[in-house]
């Protein structure tokens, strides 16, 4: 059995839990979807920090430029950056997926005040966890983002790649297919386009690239593979905890 297959076997129950989470069954109205997006948008945002961390590790983002140590890995990550940071929306306008998500929230009628305020403090050089002092969000959101940045702050590219791949890219198609089935509101074109675009890119392109990235970063290092597995498990546990927190919000609202 390959190393990747071993990890996927270990995390299979967690992936199944996510795929069939009770949260999806609670999308009874547009207001429920709005509650979801108002928390989930922070995960959409901090995903980009995982991605840009990998780009810093694996490519040259400084001046003067020097060649990447591994051009194959550089190409992998740059292809994903291009798709996530410089995609086009349903009107063929250049947008990051984060910006598409904000537009989708606005079309749904969801509030973007918390994420807008949070980003303004990030722009002003607040640290990610400290910036939550200025916004009111569920503790599950704070914990999720804190975990993401603890992985980034480790300075270990293979751990960042693990959280990116198994906690995010590799599981997004399953999660969003489930959401799309429950939230199939055809009039909300931006949200549906966002979901369908993620399914298309992450399932067909970014997911397989990310798996190759993990393999290349770990090589034959047993310690790295063990750390990757532990990070994968913890990242999925944090995603489940985030989903639990959002479910509690929707339940309390109703």
């Amino acid at each position: 059995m390959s190393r990747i297959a071993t990890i996927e076997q270990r995390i299979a129950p967690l992936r199944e839990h996510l795929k069939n989470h009770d949260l999806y069954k609670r999308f009874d109205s547009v207001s429920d979807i709005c509650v979801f997006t108002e928390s989930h948008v922070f995960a959409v945002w901090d995903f980009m920090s995982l991605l840009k961390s990998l780009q810093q590790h694996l490519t040259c983002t400084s001046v003067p430029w020097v060649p990447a140590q591994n051009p194959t890995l550089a190409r992998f990550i740059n292809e994903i950056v291009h798709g996530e940071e410089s995609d086009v929306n349903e009107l063929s306008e250049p947008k990051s997926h984060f910006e598409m998500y904000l537009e989708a929230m606005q079309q749904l009628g969801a509030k973007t005040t918390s994420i807008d305020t949070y980003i303004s403090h990030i722009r002003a050089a607040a640290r990610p966890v400290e910036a939550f002092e200025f916004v009111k969000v569920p503790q599950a959101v704070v914990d999720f983002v804190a975990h993401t940045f603890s992985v980034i702050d480790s300075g270990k590219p293979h751990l960042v790649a693990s959280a990116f791949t198994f906690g995010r890219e590799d599981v997004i198609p399953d999660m969003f297919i489930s959401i799309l089935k429950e939230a199939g509101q055809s009039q909300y074109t931006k949200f549906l386009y966002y979901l369908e675009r993620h399914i298309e890119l992450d399932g067909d392109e970014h997911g397989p690239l990310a798996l190759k990235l993990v393999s290349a970063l770990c090589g034959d290092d047993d310690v790295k593979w063990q750390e990757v597995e532990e990070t994968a498990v913890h990242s999925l546990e944090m995603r489940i905890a985030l989903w639990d927190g959002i479910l509690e919000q929707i339940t309390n609202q109703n």
Side-chain angles (χ1 to χ4, degrees):
M1 182 181 293
S2 71
R3 303 272 198 158
I4 291 290
T6 299
I7 294 172
E8 290 183 329
Q9 185 179 63
R10 169 82 186 278
I11 64 176
L14 295 171
R15 285 177 58 92
E16 192 65 19
H17 187 166
L18 274 172
K19 187 176 180 179
N20 298 292
H21 198 285
D22 287 343
L23 172 62
Y24 310 133
K25 301 180 181 67
R26 295 307 303 267
F27 289 137
D28 296 325
S29 66
V30 173
S31 63
D32 294 334
I33 300 172
C34 288
V35 172
F36 169 79
T37 61
E38 287 163 14
S39 287
H40 179 244
V41 67
F42 287 89
V44 176
W45 170 77
D46 80 349
F47 167 82
M48 290 303 300
S49 291
L50 283 172
L51 177 56
K52 299 303 281 188
S53 175
L54 285 171
Q55 190 177 37
Q56 288 175 352
H57 281 296
L58 302 173
T59 74
C60 182
T61 58
S62 60
V63 176
W65 177 86
V66 294
Q69 292 184 344
N70 188 323
T72 301
L73 295 187
R75 180 178 176 83
F76 282 171
I77 204 66
N78 282 334
E79 285 184 5
I80 296 174
V81 168
H82 177 262
E84 295 288 343
E85 192 174 35
S86 305
D87 203 0
V88 292
N89 66 9
E90 78 284 2
L91 302 175
S92 297
E93 300 168 336
K95 299 280 183 179
S96 69
H97 285 186
F98 173 73
E99 291 167 308
M100 289 185 201
Y101 199 88
L102 288 180
E103 289 183 343
M105 289 178 67
Q106 292 162 358
Q107 189 182 62
L108 285 166
K111 298 175 183 177
T112 62
T113 306
S114 292
I115 187 64
D116 290 340
T117 301
Y118 182 82
I119 293 297
S120 71
H121 285 284
I122 293 295
R123 290 187 188 277
R127 293 181 61 81
V129 176
E130 294 170 353
F132 282 114
E133 296 174 8
F134 305 99
V135 297
K136 185 178 181 181
V137 295
Q139 186 61 41
V141 173
V142 179
D143 293 344
F144 186 87
V145 173
H147 170 257
T148 296
F149 281 91
S150 71
V151 173
I152 291 171
D153 292 343
S154 73
K156 297 180 177 181
H158 61 288
L159 299 190
V160 179
S162 178
F164 177 87
T165 301
F166 298 108
R168 301 298 184 90
E169 290 292 297
D170 196 40
V171 77
I172 278 174
D174 284 347
M175 292 192 306
F176 283 179
I177 285 170
S178 295
I179 293 172
L180 191 57
K181 287 179 179 177
E182 298 297 331
Q185 304 285 339
S186 59
Q187 65 266 40
Y188 299 110
T189 55
K190 291 184 180 294
F191 189 52
L192 289 171
Y193 179 86
Y194 174 87
L195 295 179
E196 289 166 351
R197 187 64 176 149
H198 251 286
I199 290 166
E200 177 186 357
L201 285 178
D202 296 337
D204 297 338
E205 299 178 24
H206 295 177
L209 282 177
L211 291 172
K212 291 180 181 179
L213 183 66
V214 171
S215 295
L217 287 171
C218 290
D220 295 323
D221 190 320
D222 291 338
V223 173
K224 286 184 177 180
W225 278 110
Q226 182 59 38
E227 290 178 339
V228 160
E229 183 173 321
E230 291 169 357
T231 300
V233 169
H234 194 195
S235 296
L236 286 169
E237 289 173 343
M238 294 304 297
R239 173 70 69 165
I240 290 169
L242 176 62
W243 262 213
D244 289 344
I246 296 174
L247 175 59
E248 183 178 356
Q249 276 187 286
I250 293 174
T251 301
N252 291 341
Q253 173 182 270
N254 294 333

